[in-house]
């Protein structure tokens, strides 16, 4: 229910912004309606801040012997440029395992469920790796929600069936059959007078999917 509130709020703000642009372009729209749209956007903005979902995570380094065998076999079948390091993440309602390594000078994270089921691949990239039109949509949404913010990290997220993901990685990302692409953007911003970290997820077309406030408690420094 909480996630639905966040998604509805953001989508409503985006629609409000789009409607507002139309209103300014159409002289037949009255000033009263323009003011109403502006007030509605402000209301939804405050609603988003009030109902923002939190993401608690405690992440720490583990040994290979602690990783589910099915997850180990997945990662062992892929060639990386660096040693694979394993981490365990404990959230409010989940436990996941994550393999971190470098390939083609990019940081890769492969996440698995508690029983070793493949979940997703995340590759940290620079902003330049996002198509300019998609990046424009993403920044417009972020600015609408947070007037002042800083992009701290951008990751391309790949999801799909286990075999499709393996093929994708083995063929150097040239085979994307069965793979869904998303963009994960982590920003720092100020809410209620406090600095916070927010995680946003966007579709391959730059559409808003979800957002969470990050409450992180890492036992040690993550390295690759």
């Amino acid at each position: 229910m909480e996630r639905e509130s966040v998604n509805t709020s953001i989508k409503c703000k985006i629609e409000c912004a789009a409607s507002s642009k139309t209103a300014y372009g159409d002289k037949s729209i009255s000033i009263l309606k323009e003011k109403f749209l502006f007030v509605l956007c402000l209301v939804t903005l405050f609603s988003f801040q009030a109902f923002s979902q939190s993401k608690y995570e405690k992440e720490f380094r583990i040994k290979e012997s602690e990783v589910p065998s099915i997850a180990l076999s997945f990662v062992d079948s892929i060639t990386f440029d660096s040693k694979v390091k394993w981490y365990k993440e404990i959230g409010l309602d989940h436990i996941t395992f994550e393999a971190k390594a470098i390939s083609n000078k990019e940081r890769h994270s492969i996440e698995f469920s508690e029983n070793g089921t493949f979940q997703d691949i995340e590759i940290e990239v620079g902003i330049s790796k996002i198509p300019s039109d998609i990046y424009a949509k993403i920044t417009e949404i972020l600015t609408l929600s947070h007037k002042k913010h800083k992009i701290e990290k951008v990751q391309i997220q790949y999801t799909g069936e286990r075999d499709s993901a393996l093929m994708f990685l083995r063929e150097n990302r040239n085979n994307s059959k069965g793979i869904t692409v998303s963009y994960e953007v982590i920003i720092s911003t100020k809410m209620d007078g406090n600095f916070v970290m927010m995680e946003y997820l966007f579709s391959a077309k730059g559409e808003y999917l979800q957002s969470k406030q990050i409450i992180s408690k890492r036992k040690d420094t993550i390295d690759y």
Side-chain angles (χ1 to χ4, degrees), residues 143-154:
T143 303
L144 182 63
S145 303
H146 308 279
K147 187 176 180 181
K148 292 184 178 180
H149 65 272
K150 178 184 177 183
I151 295 179
E152 301 288 349
K153 183 195 289 188
V154 175

PDB file of all heavy atoms in Angstrom, residues 143-154:
ATOM      1  N   THR A 143      13.937  16.699 -10.772  1.00  0.00           N
ATOM      2  CA  THR A 143      13.835  18.118 -10.428  1.00  0.00           C
ATOM      3  C   THR A 143      12.437  18.472  -9.950  1.00  0.00           C
ATOM      4  O   THR A 143      12.266  19.329  -9.074  1.00  0.00           O
ATOM      5  CB  THR A 143      14.211  18.990 -11.647  1.00  0.00           C
ATOM      6  OG1 THR A 143      15.531  18.651 -12.074  1.00  0.00           O
ATOM      7  CG2 THR A 143      14.170  20.473 -11.282  1.00  0.00           C
ATOM      8  N   LEU A 144      11.442  17.794 -10.502  1.00  0.00           N
ATOM      9  CA  LEU A 144      10.067  18.034 -10.084  1.00  0.00           C
ATOM     10  C   LEU A 144       9.860  17.604  -8.635  1.00  0.00           C
ATOM     11  O   LEU A 144       9.134  18.258  -7.877  1.00  0.00           O
ATOM     12  CB  LEU A 144       9.106  17.268 -11.005  1.00  0.00           C
ATOM     13  CG  LEU A 144       7.607  17.441 -10.762  1.00  0.00           C
ATOM     14  CD1 LEU A 144       7.185  18.890 -10.988  1.00  0.00           C
ATOM     15  CD2 LEU A 144       6.816  16.506 -11.659  1.00  0.00           C
ATOM     16  N   SER A 145      10.527  16.521  -8.246  1.00  0.00           N
ATOM     17  CA  SER A 145      10.378  15.989  -6.888  1.00  0.00           C
ATOM     18  C   SER A 145      11.342  16.630  -5.899  1.00  0.00           C
ATOM     19  O   SER A 145      11.035  16.748  -4.718  1.00  0.00           O
ATOM     20  CB  SER A 145      10.602  14.473  -6.896  1.00  0.00           C
ATOM     21  OG  SER A 145       9.715  13.835  -7.774  1.00  0.00           O
ATOM     22  N   HIS A 146      12.520  17.009  -6.378  1.00  0.00           N
ATOM     23  CA  HIS A 146      13.555  17.575  -5.506  1.00  0.00           C
ATOM     24  C   HIS A 146      14.212  18.748  -6.232  1.00  0.00           C
ATOM     25  O   HIS A 146      15.016  18.543  -7.143  1.00  0.00           O
ATOM     26  CB  HIS A 146      14.617  16.524  -5.176  1.00  0.00           C
ATOM     27  CG  HIS A 146      14.058  15.241  -4.648  1.00  0.00           C
ATOM     28  ND1 HIS A 146      13.682  15.068  -3.335  1.00  0.00           N
ATOM     29  CD2 HIS A 146      13.791  14.067  -5.285  1.00  0.00           C
ATOM     30  CE1 HIS A 146      13.221  13.842  -3.179  1.00  0.00           C
ATOM     31  NE2 HIS A 146      13.278  13.213  -4.347  1.00  0.00           N
ATOM     32  N   LYS A 147      13.867  19.948  -5.814  1.00  0.00           N
ATOM     33  CA  LYS A 147      14.386  21.143  -6.477  1.00  0.00           C
ATOM     34  C   LYS A 147      15.902  21.140  -6.495  1.00  0.00           C
ATOM     35  O   LYS A 147      16.541  21.476  -7.497  1.00  0.00           O
ATOM     36  CB  LYS A 147      13.863  22.401  -5.784  1.00  0.00           C
ATOM     37  CG  LYS A 147      14.216  23.685  -6.510  1.00  0.00           C
ATOM     38  CD  LYS A 147      13.583  24.888  -5.833  1.00  0.00           C
ATOM     39  CE  LYS A 147      13.931  26.174  -6.569  1.00  0.00           C
ATOM     40  NZ  LYS A 147      13.329  27.357  -5.904  1.00  0.00           N
ATOM     41  N   LYS A 148      16.508  20.744  -5.359  1.00  0.00           N
ATOM     42  CA  LYS A 148      17.965  20.659  -5.280  1.00  0.00           C
ATOM     43  C   LYS A 148      18.353  19.229  -4.958  1.00  0.00           C
ATOM     44  O   LYS A 148      17.903  18.646  -3.967  1.00  0.00           O
ATOM     45  CB  LYS A 148      18.507  21.602  -4.199  1.00  0.00           C
ATOM     46  CG  LYS A 148      18.348  23.085  -4.534  1.00  0.00           C
ATOM     47  CD  LYS A 148      18.988  23.957  -3.468  1.00  0.00           C
ATOM     48  CE  LYS A 148      18.881  25.443  -3.819  1.00  0.00           C
ATOM     49  NZ  LYS A 148      19.510  26.296  -2.786  1.00  0.00           N
ATOM     50  N   HIS A 149      19.204  18.664  -5.798  1.00  0.00           N
ATOM     51  CA  HIS A 149      19.662  17.295  -5.579  1.00  0.00           C
ATOM     52  C   HIS A 149      20.958  17.064  -6.343  1.00  0.00           C
ATOM     53  O   HIS A 149      21.308  17.829  -7.238  1.00  0.00           O
ATOM     54  CB  HIS A 149      18.602  16.287  -6.044  1.00  0.00           C
ATOM     55  CG  HIS A 149      18.361  16.324  -7.528  1.00  0.00           C
ATOM     56  ND1 HIS A 149      17.442  17.175  -8.105  1.00  0.00           N
ATOM     57  CD2 HIS A 149      18.931  15.633  -8.560  1.00  0.00           C
ATOM     58  CE1 HIS A 149      17.445  17.004  -9.417  1.00  0.00           C
ATOM     59  NE2 HIS A 149      18.344  16.076  -9.719  1.00  0.00           N
ATOM     60  N   LYS A 150      21.648  16.009  -5.991  1.00  0.00           N
ATOM     61  CA  LYS A 150      22.887  15.637  -6.680  1.00  0.00           C
ATOM     62  C   LYS A 150      22.835  14.154  -7.017  1.00  0.00           C
ATOM     63  O   LYS A 150      22.535  13.327  -6.163  1.00  0.00           O
ATOM     64  CB  LYS A 150      24.097  15.922  -5.781  1.00  0.00           C
ATOM     65  CG  LYS A 150      25.421  15.525  -6.412  1.00  0.00           C
ATOM     66  CD  LYS A 150      26.579  15.729  -5.433  1.00  0.00           C
ATOM     67  CE  LYS A 150      27.900  15.272  -6.038  1.00  0.00           C
ATOM     68  NZ  LYS A 150      29.019  15.410  -5.062  1.00  0.00           N
ATOM     69  N   ILE A 151      23.122  13.841  -8.270  1.00  0.00           N
ATOM     70  CA  ILE A 151      23.152  12.434  -8.680  1.00  0.00           C
ATOM     71  C   ILE A 151      24.456  11.818  -8.195  1.00  0.00           C
ATOM     72  O   ILE A 151      25.538  12.255  -8.563  1.00  0.00           O
ATOM     73  CB  ILE A 151      23.015  12.303 -10.209  1.00  0.00           C
ATOM     74  CG1 ILE A 151      21.626  12.793 -10.656  1.00  0.00           C
ATOM     75  CG2 ILE A 151      23.242  10.847 -10.639  1.00  0.00           C
ATOM     76  CD1 ILE A 151      21.398  12.727 -12.152  1.00  0.00           C
ATOM     77  N   GLU A 152      24.352  10.812  -7.337  1.00  0.00           N
ATOM     78  CA  GLU A 152      25.527  10.175  -6.746  1.00  0.00           C
ATOM     79  C   GLU A 152      25.972   8.943  -7.532  1.00  0.00           C
ATOM     80  O   GLU A 152      27.168   8.649  -7.610  1.00  0.00           O
ATOM     81  CB  GLU A 152      25.218   9.758  -5.300  1.00  0.00           C
ATOM     82  CG  GLU A 152      24.816  10.905  -4.379  1.00  0.00           C
ATOM     83  CD  GLU A 152      25.992  11.811  -4.036  1.00  0.00           C
ATOM     84  OE1 GLU A 152      27.148  11.441  -4.347  1.00  0.00           O
ATOM     85  OE2 GLU A 152      25.765  12.888  -3.448  1.00  0.00           O
ATOM     86  N   LYS A 153      25.021   8.221  -8.091  1.00  0.00           N
ATOM     87  CA  LYS A 153      25.360   6.989  -8.806  1.00  0.00           C
ATOM     88  C   LYS A 153      24.274   6.649  -9.818  1.00  0.00           C
ATOM     89  O   LYS A 153      23.096   6.878  -9.565  1.00  0.00           O
ATOM     90  CB  LYS A 153      25.518   5.830  -7.830  1.00  0.00           C
ATOM     91  CG  LYS A 153      25.948   4.520  -8.475  1.00  0.00           C
ATOM     92  CD  LYS A 153      25.752   3.328  -7.548  1.00  0.00           C
ATOM     93  CE  LYS A 153      26.744   3.332  -6.410  1.00  0.00           C
ATOM     94  NZ  LYS A 153      26.679   2.062  -5.616  1.00  0.00           N
ATOM     95  N   VAL A 154      24.702   6.118 -10.960  1.00  0.00           N
ATOM     96  CA  VAL A 154      23.767   5.647 -11.988  1.00  0.00           C
ATOM     97  C   VAL A 154      24.129   4.200 -12.324  1.00  0.00           C
ATOM     98  O   VAL A 154      25.299   3.890 -12.567  1.00  0.00           O
ATOM     99  CB  VAL A 154      23.845   6.502 -13.271  1.00  0.00           C
ATOM    100  CG1 VAL A 154      22.939   5.909 -14.352  1.00  0.00           C
ATOM    101  CG2 VAL A 154      23.432   7.936 -12.978  1.00  0.00           C
TER     102      VAL A 154
END
